[in-house]
Amino acid sequence: MKTAWLVLGMGIVFAPATWAQDAVAVASKQFKVLAEDDQVRVLEYADKKGDKVPMHSHPKHIVYVLKTSKVKFSFPDGTSKESEAKAGEALIRPPVTHSQESMSDGRAIVIEFKK
């Protein structure tokens, strides 16, 4: 089991998490690979209100928010948290495992670090 550090909104939550599947593998409708090499992967994320993405994992990553959105994240330990991200925000995130439900339409660029 790997441990993931979870960061939500402006607060930090530390929790152990079981490593889940790749985001693109479980949600190819929402996640599209834009570019990839041996060190990083660049994803476009686009969702509609009500979209649900099953449990998945991200390595350390950056999220650049293109469209303000609200998302409910659920974690392997059974907890959940709603988070709003505003257009123009750049968020540096540690590794995380979660599922999510879109509370509004949204769009972002996600840069995942492989090393």
Side-chain angles (χ1 to χ4, degrees):
M1 175 194 291
K2 292 186 179 183
T3 300
W5 297 93
L6 310 175
V7 177
L8 303 170
M10 298 304 283
I12 297 177
V13 177
F14 304 98
T18 303
W19 220 244
Q21 293 189 48
D22 176 70
V24 177
V26 300
S28 59
K29 179 181 169 189
Q30 288 86 10
F31 287 98
K32 177 183 172 186
V33 178
L34 299 178
E36 183 171 14
D37 67 15
D38 62 330
Q39 295 182 357
V40 297
R41 180 168 74 161
V42 180
L43 307 173
E44 178 180 19
Y45 177 77
D47 62 358
K48 300 285 184 196
K49 182 178 180 178
D51 280 357
K52 294 182 181 180
V53 175
M55 195 66 64
H56 62 280
S57 293
H58 299 278
K60 182 176 181 180
H61 59 290
I62 296 170
V63 179
Y64 181 74
V65 182
L66 299 171
K67 181 177 183 181
T68 298
S69 63
K70 188 180 275 189
V71 177
K72 179 181 179 183
F73 294 101
S74 297
F75 305 98
D77 67 0
T79 62
S80 62
K81 170 108 178 166
E82 286 189 19
S83 181
E84 183 174 4
K86 304 222 183 268
E89 282 187 294
L91 310 165
I92 299 171
R93 304 288 195 190
V96 65
T97 297
H98 61 215
S99 62
Q100 61 197 71
E101 180 178 354
S102 301
M103 310 305 279
S104 66
D105 294 358
R107 191 161 170 250
I109 299 297
V110 179
I111 302 167
E112 297 180 327
F113 296 93
K114 295 182 179 182
K115 296 182 180 184

